[in-house]
C-alpha cells in the first residue's frame, strides 16, 4: 500500500506546468506560498523558448531545483522534454492527457478545456507528488526504435495483402491455395521467386529453372517444378497484364525495402537492449530480442511498478476488482493502457507457452479446463508478467526447473535476492 501514497511537494518549491503545442507551449510558474508567479506565457517551440523559460526561472528567485510537469502529447512534447532533462536533470514529470482530463474534472472544468486549465490541472497534480519521471536516454531510444519497427511491420502486413491481391489478378488462382494444396507465402523464397517471375513474364507461366534463378533463398527443384506446373494450369493473364506487372514490380521493391528496414531496426534493438536491464528477458525461452525489447521499452525503469500486479494492471489485462466490506467482485478486462505494452506481454506469454516446459504444461492444463486459446494466453500472461517483473528486479536469468518448483510451492520462480550460479 505504500506505493499508492505520494509525497507532496513543499510549498516553497517552484512548480512549472507546460502544455505543449505545435508552435508554442503554454507555461505556468507557481509556488504554494506565492501562487502564480507573473502571468502565464506562451513560449515558442525553439531554442528561444527554452532560453526564455530559463530566464523566467532565474527571475522567480525561488531557491532549489524546480519541479516541471509536461503533458505527453504524441511527439509535440519530446523536443522540450529532452532539453529540460539536459538543463534540469531529474526535474521533469510527465502526464498522460487522460490524467490532466481527470484532474480538470476534480477541479470542476472537465467540459471546458483550455491550455490554461490544463496547466492548472498539472500544477494541482504536481503539488500532490504525481507525475511520471522521464525515461533514461537508453530506454527512450529503445522505445523510439520499438515503435518505429511496429509501424514498419504494420505497413508490411498491408503491403503483403496487396501483393497477394495483385498477383491473383495477374495470375488468376496462383495465390489462392485453399483448393490447390499448397500456400504461397510472400515472405518465403518461393513467394519472392513467384512474384519476380510474374513481373518478368507479365503473368505468363515461367519454367522451373526461371523460378530457381529468381529465388533469393533455398528452393528445391521439386518445389520449383510444382509451382511451374500449377502456373501452366492457370487462366490467361488479363489484357492489361503489362501495366499490372509494372505496378506489382514497384510494390515488390517497396516490400523488399521494408524487409531491409525492419532488419536494420532489429539490429538497432539488439544494441540498445544490451544497454538496459531488459537484456535479462532474452534468457526466457521463446523470447528473443524483439519481444524482450518491446516489453522492456514500455516497462523500464522497473522501479515505476512497486509490485507485479501494478505492472500487470498497466497492460490492461488485469480484470477490474471491487472490494468493500464483505463484498468482493471481479469484472472484465478493461484493456486500458497502451496496446503496444499489452501486445508485448501477450507475445512473451505466447513464446513461453511454446518453448518453456513449465508454461507449456500450464497451457495444457488451462485448455483441458475448456479455455479457448486466447483465454489461456491471457491467463499465462499474468504469470509471465510476474516472472518478467522479478527478472528485471533481480537481473537473474530464467531457470525453467526452478520456476516449476516455485510454481508448485506457490511462488513466482525467481529468487528475491541474487543467487550464485543462476542456472
Amino acid at each position: 500500500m505504500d506505493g499508492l501514497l505520494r509525497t507532496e511537494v513543499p510549498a516553497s518549491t517552484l512548480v512549472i506546468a507546460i502544455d505543449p503545442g505545435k508552435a508554442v507551449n503554454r507555461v505556468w510558474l507557481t509556488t504554494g506560498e506565492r501562487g502564480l508567479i507573473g502571468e502565464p506565457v506562451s513560449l515558442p517551440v525553439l531554442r528561444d523558448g527554452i532560453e526564455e523559460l530559463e530566464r523566467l526561472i532565474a527571475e522567480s528567485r525561488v531557491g532549489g531545483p524546480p519541479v516541471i510537469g509536461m503533458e505527453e502529447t504524441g511527439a509535440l512534447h519530446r523536443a522540450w522534454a529532452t532539453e529540460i532533462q539536459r538543463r534540469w536533470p531529474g526535474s521533469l514529470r510527465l502526464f498522460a492527457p487522460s490524467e490532466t482530463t481527470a484532474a480538470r474534472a476534480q477541479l470542476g472544468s472537465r467540459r471546458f478545456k483550455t491550455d490554461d486549465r490544463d496547466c492548472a490541472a498539472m500544477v494541482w497534480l504536481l503539488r500532490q507528488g504525481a507525475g511520471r519521471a522521464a525515461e533514461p536516454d537508453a530506454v527512450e531510444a529503445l522505445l523510439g526504435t520499438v515503435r518505429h519497427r511496429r509501424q514498419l511491420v504494420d505497413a508490411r502486413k498491408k503491403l503483403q495483402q496487396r501483393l497477394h491481391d495483385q498477383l491473383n489478378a495477374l495470375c488468376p488462382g496462383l495465390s489462392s491455395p485453399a483448393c490447390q494444396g499448397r500456400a504461397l507465402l510472400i515472405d518465403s523464397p518461393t513467394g519472392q521467386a513467384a512474384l519476380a517471375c510474374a513481373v518478368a513474364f507479365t503473368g505468363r507461366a515461367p519454367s522451373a529453372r526461371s523460378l530457381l534463378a529468381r529465388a533469393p533463398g533455398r528452393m528445391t527443384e521439386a518445389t520449383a517444378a510444382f509451382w511451374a506446373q500449377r502456373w501452366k494450369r492457370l487462366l490467361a493473364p488479363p489484357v492489361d497484364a503489362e501495366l499490372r506487372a509494372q505496378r506489382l514490380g514497384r510494390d515488390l521493391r517497396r516490400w523488399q525495402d521494408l524487409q531491409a528496414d525492419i532488419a536494420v531496426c532489429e539490429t538497432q534493438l539488439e544494441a540498445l537492449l544490451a544497454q538496459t536491464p531488459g537484456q535479462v528477458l532474452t534468457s526466457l525461452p521463446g523470447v528473443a530480442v524483439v519481444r524482450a525489447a518491446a516489453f522492456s521499452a514500455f516497462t523500464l525503469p522497473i522501479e515505476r511498478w512497486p509490485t507485479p500486479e501494478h505492472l500487470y494492471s498497466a497492460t490492461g489485462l488485469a480484470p477490474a476488482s471491487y472490494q468493500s466490506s464483505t463484498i468482493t467482485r471481479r469484472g472484465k478486462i478493461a484493456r486500458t493502457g497502451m496496446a503496444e505494452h499489452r501486445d508485448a506481454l501477450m507475445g512473451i506469454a505466447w513464446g513461453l507457452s511454446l518453448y518453456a516446459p513449465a508454461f507449456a504444461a500450464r497451457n495444457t492444463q488451462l485448455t483441458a479446463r475448456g479455455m479457448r486459446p486466447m483465454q489461456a494466453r491471457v491467463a499465462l500472461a499474468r504469470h509471465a508478467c510476474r516472472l518478467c517483473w522479478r527478472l528485471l528486479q533481480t537481473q537473474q536469468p530464467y531457470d525453467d526447473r526452478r520456476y516449476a518448483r516455485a510454481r508448485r510451492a506457490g511462488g513466482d520462480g525467481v529468487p528475491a535476492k541474487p543467487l550464485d550460479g543462476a542456472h
Side-chain angles (χ1 to χ4, degrees):
M1 296 299 294
D2 292 341
L4 300 176
L5 302 177
R6 300 168 178 169
T7 303
E8 293 185 2
V9 172
S12 59
T13 302
L14 179 63
V15 175
I16 303 173
I18 302 173
D19 186 55
K22 293 181 180 179
V24 295
N25 295 337
R26 193 65 169 170
V27 180
W28 278 31
L29 279 75
T30 69
T31 65
E33 297 173 341
R34 297 163 54 185
L36 185 64
I37 300 176
E39 292 295 323
V41 294
S42 296
L43 303 180
V45 188
L46 297 169
R47 185 186 299 273
D48 297 342
I50 283 286
E51 291 177 351
E52 178 65 14
L53 175 62
E54 195 170 23
R55 185 187 68 79
L56 291 173
I57 292 175
E59 289 183 353
S60 69
R61 294 187 175 86
V62 178
V67 175
I68 305 174
M70 179 178 285
E71 189 177 57
E72 290 185 285
T73 52
L76 299 180
H77 73 285
R78 291 177 185 168
W80 266 42
T82 302
E83 188 64 19
I84 287 171
Q85 276 291 89
R86 189 181 69 83
R87 299 193 183 206
W88 299 280
S91 65
L92 183 62
R93 298 293 182 269
L94 299 175
F95 296 95
S98 59
E99 292 179 282
T100 55
T101 301
R104 283 205 324 272
Q106 291 291 318
L107 296 174
S109 58
R110 179 182 178 87
R111 298 178 60 189
F112 307 98
K113 187 206 178 301
T114 64
D115 291 345
D116 285 333
R117 291 178 187 273
D118 281 345
C119 286
M122 279 188 279
V123 169
W124 184 70
L125 290 170
L126 286 167
R127 286 176 178 170
Q128 298 177 62
R132 177 173 61 84
E135 290 87 354
D137 292 341
V139 176
E140 184 68 27
L142 184 67
L143 179 60
T145 309
V146 164
R147 282 179 165 159
H148 183 64
R149 181 189 177 277
R150 184 182 176 92
Q151 293 170 352
L152 293 177
V153 170
D154 288 342
R156 181 184 63 180
K157 181 178 179 180
K158 296 175 183 177
L159 184 54
Q160 282 185 187
Q161 294 172 344
R162 190 160 68 247
L163 287 174
H164 271 294
D165 179 67
Q166 290 175 292
L167 183 60
N168 196 48
L170 183 61
C171 309
L174 183 66
S175 65
S176 52
C179 60
Q180 299 182 26
R182 192 179 297 186
L184 182 64
L185 303 178
I186 294 296
D187 56 351
S188 67
T190 302
Q192 291 291 291
L195 287 169
C197 286
V199 172
F201 301 109
T202 61
R204 299 188 305 274
S207 64
R209 186 173 62 180
S210 296
L211 285 166
L212 288 170
R214 287 169 173 80
R218 183 177 180 275
M219 184 179 182
T220 64
E221 293 183 3
T223 300
F226 172 85
W227 286 102
Q229 187 62 32
R230 178 193 282 190
W231 214 310
K232 294 177 182 178
R233 297 164 54 197
L234 302 179
L235 297 174
V239 293
D240 60 343
E242 187 173 349
L243 296 177
R244 290 180 180 274
Q246 291 175 5
R247 294 195 295 267
L248 179 61
R250 287 193 292 270
D251 278 349
L252 176 59
R253 289 190 293 273
R254 193 174 297 115
W255 185 90
Q256 291 168 345
D257 290 341
L258 280 175
Q259 282 286 88
D261 291 344
I262 291 172
V264 170
C265 275
E266 291 175 357
T267 302
Q268 295 174 348
L269 284 178
E270 186 174 8
L272 291 170
L273 185 63
Q275 303 173 24
T276 68
Q279 178 68 27
V280 71
L281 297 183
T282 57
S283 65
L284 293 169
V287 180
V289 169
V290 172
R291 285 175 176 166
F295 188 71
S296 299
F298 297 100
T299 301
L300 295 175
I302 194 60
E303 292 76 21
R304 291 164 51 192
W305 320 105
T307 67
E309 295 303 323
H310 284 79
L311 176 57
Y312 187 57
S313 179
T315 65
L317 292 175
S321 62
Y322 175 87
Q323 192 276 328
S324 178
S325 184
T326 60
I327 301 174
T328 301
R329 291 196 301 263
R330 293 178 70 83
K332 297 180 180 179
I333 292 173
R335 293 190 179 182
T336 55
M338 291 180 288
E340 300 99 321
H341 200 181
R342 182 164 56 254
D343 292 345
L345 180 57
M346 291 291 282
I348 288 179
W350 173 247
L352 288 169
S353 70
L354 293 178
Y355 297 101
F359 276 84
R362 180 63 175 167
N363 186 53
T364 303
Q365 293 174 4
L366 295 173
T367 54
R369 294 181 187 176
M371 283 191 180
R372 289 175 294 182
M374 185 58 67
Q375 291 175 323
R377 196 185 305 179
V378 171
L380 288 176
R382 182 173 183 271
H383 301 294
C385 184
R386 296 178 63 211
L387 179 60
C388 292
W389 182 87
R390 182 65 75 182
L391 289 177
L392 291 171
Q393 286 278 357
T394 63
Q395 290 297 293
Q396 293 296 301
Y398 173 77
D399 184 348
D400 192 79
R401 293 170 296 179
R402 182 172 60 205
Y403 178 80
R405 290 195 302 268
R407 282 290 304 151
R408 289 193 294 268
D412 57 13
V414 184
K417 297 182 180 179
L419 297 177
D420 294 331
H423 290 278

